[in-house]
PDB file of all heavy atoms in Angstrom:
ATOM      1  N   ALA A  31      66.031 -35.659  44.875  1.00  0.00           N
ATOM      2  CA  ALA A  31      66.584 -36.339  46.037  1.00  0.00           C
ATOM      3  C   ALA A  31      65.544 -36.275  47.148  1.00  0.00           C
ATOM      4  O   ALA A  31      64.667 -35.407  47.135  1.00  0.00           O
ATOM      5  CB  ALA A  31      67.874 -35.666  46.497  1.00  0.00           C
ATOM      6  N   GLU A  33      65.877 -35.511  50.832  1.00  0.00           N
ATOM      7  CA  GLU A  33      66.998 -34.945  51.591  1.00  0.00           C
ATOM      8  C   GLU A  33      66.477 -33.866  52.545  1.00  0.00           C
ATOM      9  O   GLU A  33      65.580 -33.095  52.166  1.00  0.00           O
ATOM     10  CB  GLU A  33      67.979 -34.312  50.587  1.00  0.00           C
ATOM     11  CG  GLU A  33      69.186 -33.655  51.195  1.00  0.00           C
ATOM     12  CD  GLU A  33      70.039 -32.966  50.143  1.00  0.00           C
ATOM     13  OE1 GLU A  33      69.478 -32.253  49.290  1.00  0.00           O
ATOM     14  OE2 GLU A  33      71.262 -33.137  50.168  1.00  0.00           O
ATOM     15  N   HIS A  35      65.872 -30.507  54.266  1.00  0.00           N
ATOM     16  CA  HIS A  35      65.940 -29.111  53.806  1.00  0.00           C
ATOM     17  C   HIS A  35      65.600 -28.172  54.960  1.00  0.00           C
ATOM     18  O   HIS A  35      64.714 -27.316  54.847  1.00  0.00           O
ATOM     19  CB  HIS A  35      65.023 -28.891  52.609  1.00  0.00           C
ATOM     20  CG  HIS A  35      65.674 -29.253  51.305  1.00  0.00           C
ATOM     21  ND1 HIS A  35      65.855 -30.553  50.917  1.00  0.00           N
ATOM     22  CD2 HIS A  35      66.241 -28.496  50.333  1.00  0.00           C
ATOM     23  CE1 HIS A  35      66.488 -30.580  49.744  1.00  0.00           C
ATOM     24  NE2 HIS A  35      66.740 -29.346  49.369  1.00  0.00           N
ATOM     25  N   ASP A  44      63.904 -31.075  46.572  1.00  0.00           N
ATOM     26  CA  ASP A  44      64.695 -31.277  45.347  1.00  0.00           C
ATOM     27  C   ASP A  44      63.937 -32.051  44.275  1.00  0.00           C
ATOM     28  O   ASP A  44      64.402 -32.159  43.131  1.00  0.00           O
ATOM     29  CB  ASP A  44      66.006 -32.009  45.663  1.00  0.00           C
ATOM     30  CG  ASP A  44      67.012 -31.108  46.373  1.00  0.00           C
ATOM     31  OD1 ASP A  44      66.737 -29.908  46.538  1.00  0.00           O
ATOM     32  OD2 ASP A  44      68.078 -31.621  46.764  1.00  0.00           O
ATOM     33  N   THR A  77      77.320 -29.274  50.774  1.00  0.00           N
ATOM     34  CA  THR A  77      76.367 -28.865  49.732  1.00  0.00           C
ATOM     35  C   THR A  77      74.922 -29.253  50.037  1.00  0.00           C
ATOM     36  O   THR A  77      74.008 -28.697  49.428  1.00  0.00           O
ATOM     37  CB  THR A  77      76.762 -29.468  48.364  1.00  0.00           C
ATOM     38  OG1 THR A  77      77.018 -30.873  48.549  1.00  0.00           O
ATOM     39  CG2 THR A  77      78.005 -28.809  47.815  1.00  0.00           C
ATOM     40  N   GLY A  78      74.714 -30.188  50.968  1.00  0.00           N
ATOM     41  CA  GLY A  78      73.335 -30.602  51.249  1.00  0.00           C
ATOM     42  C   GLY A  78      73.120 -30.988  52.699  1.00  0.00           C
ATOM     43  O   GLY A  78      72.049 -31.448  53.067  1.00  0.00           O
ATOM     44  N   GLY A 118      67.605 -31.055  40.256  1.00  0.00           N
ATOM     45  CA  GLY A 118      67.366 -30.182  41.390  1.00  0.00           C
ATOM     46  C   GLY A 118      68.262 -30.452  42.588  1.00  0.00           C
ATOM     47  O   GLY A 118      68.061 -29.854  43.646  1.00  0.00           O
ATOM     48  N   HIS A 119      69.246 -31.353  42.446  1.00  0.00           N
ATOM     49  CA  HIS A 119      70.071 -31.757  43.598  1.00  0.00           C
ATOM     50  C   HIS A 119      71.541 -31.658  43.195  1.00  0.00           C
ATOM     51  O   HIS A 119      71.974 -32.323  42.246  1.00  0.00           O
ATOM     52  CB  HIS A 119      69.686 -33.193  43.981  1.00  0.00           C
ATOM     53  CG  HIS A 119      70.481 -33.818  45.082  1.00  0.00           C
ATOM     54  ND1 HIS A 119      70.530 -33.308  46.362  1.00  0.00           N
ATOM     55  CD2 HIS A 119      71.239 -34.951  45.096  1.00  0.00           C
ATOM     56  CE1 HIS A 119      71.288 -34.099  47.113  1.00  0.00           C
ATOM     57  NE2 HIS A 119      71.739 -35.089  46.366  1.00  0.00           N
ATOM     58  N   TYR A 120      72.254 -30.838  43.936  1.00  0.00           N
ATOM     59  CA  TYR A 120      73.632 -30.509  43.535  1.00  0.00           C
ATOM     60  C   TYR A 120      74.490 -31.755  43.330  1.00  0.00           C
ATOM     61  O   TYR A 120      75.257 -31.842  42.372  1.00  0.00           O
ATOM     62  CB  TYR A 120      74.247 -29.605  44.615  1.00  0.00           C
ATOM     63  CG  TYR A 120      75.596 -29.053  44.236  1.00  0.00           C
ATOM     64  CD1 TYR A 120      75.697 -27.930  43.416  1.00  0.00           C
ATOM     65  CD2 TYR A 120      76.764 -29.645  44.694  1.00  0.00           C
ATOM     66  CE1 TYR A 120      76.921 -27.429  43.049  1.00  0.00           C
ATOM     67  CE2 TYR A 120      78.004 -29.140  44.339  1.00  0.00           C
ATOM     68  CZ  TYR A 120      78.080 -28.036  43.522  1.00  0.00           C
ATOM     69  OH  TYR A 120      79.296 -27.542  43.163  1.00  0.00           O
ATOM     70  N   GLU A 121      74.368 -32.721  44.236  1.00  0.00           N
ATOM     71  CA  GLU A 121      75.237 -33.902  44.179  1.00  0.00           C
ATOM     72  C   GLU A 121      74.917 -34.827  43.003  1.00  0.00           C
ATOM     73  O   GLU A 121      75.641 -35.801  42.762  1.00  0.00           O
ATOM     74  CB  GLU A 121      75.153 -34.680  45.508  1.00  0.00           C
ATOM     75  CG  GLU A 121      75.771 -33.964  46.704  1.00  0.00           C
ATOM     76  CD  GLU A 121      74.820 -32.989  47.385  1.00  0.00           C
ATOM     77  OE1 GLU A 121      73.834 -32.529  46.747  1.00  0.00           O
ATOM     78  OE2 GLU A 121      75.049 -32.669  48.567  1.00  0.00           O
ATOM     79  N   HIS A 176      71.747 -24.309  49.928  1.00  0.00           N
ATOM     80  CA  HIS A 176      70.901 -25.443  50.292  1.00  0.00           C
ATOM     81  C   HIS A 176      69.871 -25.053  51.353  1.00  0.00           C
ATOM     82  O   HIS A 176      70.230 -24.576  52.421  1.00  0.00           O
ATOM     83  CB  HIS A 176      71.761 -26.600  50.813  1.00  0.00           C
ATOM     84  CG  HIS A 176      70.940 -27.767  51.236  1.00  0.00           C
ATOM     85  ND1 HIS A 176      70.383 -28.641  50.347  1.00  0.00           N
ATOM     86  CD2 HIS A 176      70.519 -28.163  52.452  1.00  0.00           C
ATOM     87  CE1 HIS A 176      69.678 -29.536  50.999  1.00  0.00           C
ATOM     88  NE2 HIS A 176      69.737 -29.274  52.284  1.00  0.00           N
ATOM     89  N   GLU A 181      65.807 -21.943  47.299  1.00  0.00           N
ATOM     90  CA  GLU A 181      64.888 -23.083  47.383  1.00  0.00           C
ATOM     91  C   GLU A 181      63.655 -22.731  48.209  1.00  0.00           C
ATOM     92  O   GLU A 181      62.529 -23.096  47.849  1.00  0.00           O
ATOM     93  CB  GLU A 181      65.602 -24.299  47.985  1.00  0.00           C
ATOM     94  CG  GLU A 181      66.643 -24.885  47.049  1.00  0.00           C
ATOM     95  CD  GLU A 181      67.238 -26.186  47.573  1.00  0.00           C
ATOM     96  OE1 GLU A 181      67.605 -26.250  48.763  1.00  0.00           O
ATOM     97  OE2 GLU A 181      67.337 -27.140  46.786  1.00  0.00           O
TER      98      GLU A 181
HETATM   99 MN1  LIG B 302      69.893 -31.315  47.415  1.00  0.00          MN
END
Side-chain angles (χ1 to χ4, degrees):
E33 179 184 46
H35 275 75
D44 287 355
T77 49
H119 176 61
Y120 187 82
E121 291 85 338
H176 178 77
E181 290 187 313

